[in-house]
Amino acid sequence: MHMADALISPTVGVAMWGATAGIASYSLKKLNIEADEKKLPLMGVLGAFVFAAQMINFAIPGTGSSGHLGGGLLLAALLGPYAAFLTLSVVLFIQALFFADGGLLAFGCNVLNLGFYTCFIAYPVYKRLIRRTNIWLASIIAAVVGLQLGAFSVVVQTLLSGKVELPFTTFTLFMQPIHLAIGIVEGIATAAIISFVMKTKPELSTTIETPINRLVGTLGLLALMIGGIFSSIASSKPDGLEWSVFHAIGTDELRATTAVHHALERLQQSLALLPDYNLKGGGTSIGWLDIGTSISGIIGTFIVAVAIMAPYIIIKKWRKEA
């Protein structure tokens, strides 16, 4: 559900940026950086892991579509909703800025659709269900709730933007079922990852007082492997949003319509180091391994981890000097 700028109007884009900034500010206040200092390395490595995992699109059988892990529910289950929202915001910003994945104008929309609903609505559902059922059922139901809300939010944002090319009812009827299927897969993947983490570090369910170096190292290595190797085998089929747009209007993208859209498009093209997770001018392959995609996965993983962990390093250095 990485929306392109052409799907929304400048007014809606600015409004969603404002909403995202407000939620991020509130999350920063709730997340006591000093008290949660030990959580920052885990935030960094989990952010890198989600970045890498989002590069792997899995095919949805019988549809011609694909999906990928959103990561909001996973992050919330392991970090709490505030740290999760901030972590996913950084991931999405780096994707838009350096890889041209999701529009700059649509950044606020993407954070709300992928982060707000999963961290602040789906996660409480997960917490309630985990007490009554098992981790698998709780994860699947919560993931479906988060993605259904996010998918419908996309439709509402295009409606508010006056995108008459996308009929509200038709677009909804494609968006909701395909993201139901994606949500089920995400729920299964989320439960599997949480189960692995809890077996490795069970105290994460209640506290993070003890060192987590081994877990951070394991997740970091997995992120590099996923981004650097397994990303090359991702499905090339259109994702749920592209698939829905195509079936609603016969093309998988809309054209930019305003000077703001064109200006931001040029800015994004100039800033993107590896647009569409590949080398500029196209990449090369060694067998099934796409070199451009692998380089993008490795570089992106490092950028996300550093961007999130920088405060941790600065705080430690400042305290040492003090």
Side-chain angles (χ1 to χ4, degrees), residues 1-15:
M1 284 190 292
H2 288 64
M3 295 180 74
D5 286 344
L7 288 171
I8 61 169
S9 67
T11 302
V12 170
V14 171

Side-chain angles (χ1 to χ4, degrees), residues 2-322:
H2 288 64
M3 295 180 74
D5 286 344
L7 288 171
I8 61 169
S9 67
T11 302
V12 170
V14 171
M16 295 301 102
W17 261 89
T20 294
I23 299 169
S25 177
Y26 178 75
S27 296
L28 276 171
K29 290 179 181 179
K30 296 293 288 186
L31 179 67
N32 187 328
I33 294 297
E34 184 173 351
D36 292 341
E37 179 186 332
K38 292 181 180 179
K39 187 182 288 186
L40 283 167
L42 190 59
M43 289 172 62
V45 76
L46 281 171
F49 180 86
V50 167
F51 172 89
Q54 287 192 5
M55 292 183 67
I56 301 184
N57 279 43
F58 48 83
I60 305 298
T63 66
S65 178
S66 68
H68 63 70
L69 186 73
L73 178 61
L74 172 66
L75 292 172
L78 297 176
L79 298 172
Y82 305 111
F85 182 82
L86 294 169
T87 300
L88 191 57
S89 297
V90 173
V91 172
L92 293 172
F93 185 70
I94 288 172
Q95 287 174 335
L97 197 64
F98 297 117
F99 301 93
D101 187 9
L104 295 178
L105 180 63
F107 170 71
C109 295
N110 289 329
V111 174
L112 289 174
N113 300 339
L114 285 165
F116 175 76
Y117 299 109
T118 52
C119 294
F120 297 109
I121 297 178
Y123 174 59
V125 171
Y126 168 84
K127 284 181 66 178
R128 184 179 293 271
L129 289 174
I130 200 70
R131 301 188 191 104
R132 302 179 181 180
T133 60
N134 58 65
I135 191 172
W136 298 93
L137 186 59
S139 297
I140 291 171
I141 293 175
V144 167
V145 168
L147 276 185
Q148 287 296 289
L149 290 172
F152 188 67
S153 183
V154 170
V155 178
V156 172
Q157 287 158 0
T158 60
L159 176 67
L160 294 175
S161 297
K163 298 297 177 180
V164 294
E165 310 97 308
L166 285 168
F168 177 80
T169 302
T170 304
F171 193 28
T172 303
L173 290 175
F174 284 114
M175 281 290 286
Q176 302 310 127
I178 197 66
H179 285 94
L180 171 62
I182 295 171
I184 293 172
V185 177
E186 168 144 13
I188 294 171
T190 298
I193 296 168
I194 293 174
S195 297
F196 164 75
V197 172
M198 292 309 176
K199 287 179 182 177
T200 306
K201 203 70 180 169
E203 63 269 21
L204 277 176
S205 60
T206 56
T207 182
I208 53 168
E209 293 297 324
T210 55
I212 55 173
N213 293 343
R214 181 178 298 178
L215 177 60
V216 168
T218 300
L219 289 173
L221 180 60
L222 284 174
L224 287 172
M225 290 177 62
I226 292 170
I229 300 175
F230 297 112
S231 57
S232 293
I233 62 174
S235 172
S236 60
K237 297 181 184 297
D239 65 22
L241 175 55
E242 295 168 338
W243 180 89
S244 299
V245 171
F246 178 81
H247 281 79
I249 62 174
T251 179
D252 60 1
E253 61 181 26
L254 301 180
R255 291 184 178 180
T257 55
T258 70
V260 173
H261 285 97
H262 291 299
L264 288 174
E265 183 179 8
R266 289 192 297 271
L267 176 63
Q268 188 173 42
Q269 289 174 350
S270 66
L271 292 174
L273 298 174
L274 296 158
D276 296 322
Y277 303 99
N278 216 324
L279 301 173
K280 290 184 177 180
T284 58
S285 299
I286 301 177
W288 56 268
L289 186 68
D290 187 293
I291 301 301
T293 302
S294 295
I295 292 173
S296 299
I298 293 170
I299 291 177
T301 296
F302 274 112
I303 292 176
V304 170
V306 170
I308 296 172
M309 292 176 66
Y312 172 72
I313 297 170
I314 293 170
I315 288 171
K316 285 194 71 174
K317 185 177 179 180
W318 176 77
R319 285 184 173 177
K320 186 177 180 180
E321 292 176 351

